[in-house]
Amino acid sequence: MSRNTSPAPREWELLLIMAGALAAMAGTTAVFVTHEQAWRYLIAAGCLMQFLGWVRRGRRNGGGR
């Protein structure tokens, strides 16, 4: 059984990265439109989702070796 060494993110890592980016952009837009500070939690959650997606991708690819 061979290990996947493709540099492109696959499966749920890509989903986490893209969903996190969309959530952060939506939260940023909502903060500017409504001036409600509670939307900042959505921005933080989106950034965390992106971070976790990139970390998982890095582990899959051997940690940047």
Side-chain angles (χ1 to χ4, degrees):
M1 191 162 50
S2 67
R3 185 174 174 194
N4 184 6
T5 59
S6 172
R10 295 188 184 263
E11 299 171 15
W12 67 275
E13 290 94 348
L14 181 59
L15 179 64
L16 270 178
I17 294 165
M18 294 305 297
L22 289 173
M25 287 189 297
T28 302
T29 303
V31 166
F32 283 120
V33 170
T34 65
H35 301 287
E36 291 289 328
Q37 299 303 314
W39 289 109
R40 292 179 188 241
Y41 293 114
L42 180 61
I43 297 169
C47 292
L48 178 64
M49 288 171 59
Q50 287 184 65
F51 174 77
L52 293 175
W54 284 113
V55 167
R56 285 294 301 165
R57 178 188 176 264
R59 285 185 185 163
R60 173 181 285 202
N61 290 336
R65 286 186 271 158

